[in-house]
Amino acid sequence: DIQMTQSPSSLSASVGDRVTITCRASQSISNFLNWYQQKPGQAPNLLIYAASSLQNGVPSRFSGSASGTDFTLTISGLQPEDFATYYCQQTYSTPFTFGPGTKVDIK
Amino acid sequence: QVQLVQSGAEVKKPGASVKVSCKASGYTFTSYDINWVRQATGQGLEWMGWMNPNSGNTVYAQKFQGRVSMTKSTSISTAYMELSSLRSEDTAVYYCARSIAVAGNWYFDLWGRGTLVTVSS
């Protein structure tokens, strides 16, 4: 199985900050990497697919990039509604595995 | 309205089975695969498997092989996930999620609200 790691596991940030979350795959997954946001008591919500494509309706302050087996989710100008947990997911091969998540909370 | 509506919470005893439903509306049910993902309280997301609602073909995570069954009723646009031989570690919220493939990359663009399954004696 492909293992996904995320760093940091949590971070504290202020409204307006630029936030970067990193996800690393245990082997090459091409660009088959997605990012989801999950708020407490809610289902995950797709933000980014194929490493860097913004899902319809997702604000442009969210962006994704890739370099080899390292992937980055960037939030440019954190908003109050962005405080949540973020998960990466690989869909290169089954089982589709998720990273352990990064919790973003208010500083 | 495009949505996936899941069945209500369940409480089961160890060793029992549970069957969760996921009703699709607002789109053609047979055009997209349905995945099942679970999440224990305070924990991360775990993919269990997928089903093609058109063919009925399934792919299960090895961890659940032999205990999980994903089926469908096309006439009512509903997918089902049945998990047997339940143990306390199966206590979790179970989500169904629609997946789309673009250039070979799958992503989950529509999720149900989740069904809490509690396994307790």
Side-chain angles (χ1 to χ4, degrees), chain A residues 40-55:
Chain A
Q42 296 185 18
N45 182 53
L46 177 69
L47 299 175
I48 301 284
Y49 64 93
S52 61
S53 295
L54 191 67
Q55 170 67 350

Side-chain angles (χ1 to χ4, degrees), chain A residues 1 3 6 8 10 12 21 32 37-38 45 51 58 60 69-71 78 84 88 96 103:
Chain A
D1 297 0
Q3 308 302 315
Q6 284 183 236
S10 65
S12 295
I21 298 168
F32 295 175
Q37 176 194 68
Q38 186 179 34
N45 182 53
V58 174
S60 59
T69 57
D70 291 341
F71 301 85
L78 198 67
C88 60
F96 294 157
K103 184 176 182 180

Side-chain angles (χ1 to χ4, degrees), chain A:
Chain A
D1 297 0
I2 297 174
Q3 308 302 315
M4 307 300 293
T5 57
Q6 284 183 236
S7 60
S9 57
S10 65
L11 65 91
S12 295
S14 300
V15 172
D17 283 354
R18 178 185 177 93
V19 168
T20 299
I21 298 168
T22 298
C23 175
R24 174 170 290 173
S26 60
Q27 65 183 73
S28 174
I29 58 170
S30 185
N31 69 333
F32 295 175
L33 189 285
N34 309 312
W35 288 98
Y36 300 87
Q37 176 194 68
Q38 186 179 34
K39 297 178 181 179
Q42 296 185 18
N45 182 53
L46 177 69
L47 299 175
I48 301 284
Y49 64 93
S52 61
S53 295
L54 191 67
Q55 170 67 350
N56 290 341
V58 174
S60 59
R61 63 181 178 272
F62 291 94
S63 64
S65 64
S67 177
T69 57
D70 291 341
F71 301 85
T72 300
L73 173 70
T74 300
I75 310 172
S76 301
L78 198 67
Q79 295 301 299
E81 59 269 29
D82 300 336
F83 293 97
T85 300
Y86 294 83
Y87 294 94
C88 60
Q89 176 203 34
Q90 67 80 20
T91 55
Y92 181 79
S93 66
T94 59
F96 294 157
T97 44
F98 293 86
T102 295
K103 184 176 182 180
V104 177
D105 61 22
I106 301 172
K107 182 184 287 184

Side-chain angles (χ1 to χ4, degrees), chain A residues 36 38 43-44 87-89 91 95-99, chain B residues 6 20 22 34-40 43-51 61 64 68 70 81 83 90 92-99 107-108 110-117:
Chain A
Y36 300 87
Q38 186 179 34
Y87 294 94
C88 60
Q89 176 203 34
T91 55
F96 294 157
T97 44
F98 293 86
Chain B
Q6 297 187 225
V20 179
C22 172
I34 292 289
N35 297 259
W36 291 89
V37 176
R38 76 177 186 178
Q39 184 173 40
Q43 302 301 307
L45 301 165
E46 182 174 33
W47 181 80
M48 300 177 68
W50 90 40
M51 181 195 64
F64 301 101
V68 71
M70 296 177 189
M81 186 283 299
L83 189 63
D90 294 317
V93 174
Y94 289 75
Y95 295 101
C96 59
R98 183 180 81 170
S99 57
Y107 55 92
F108 300 178
L110 179 67
W111 293 67
R113 289 191 172 188
T115 296
L116 174 62
V117 175

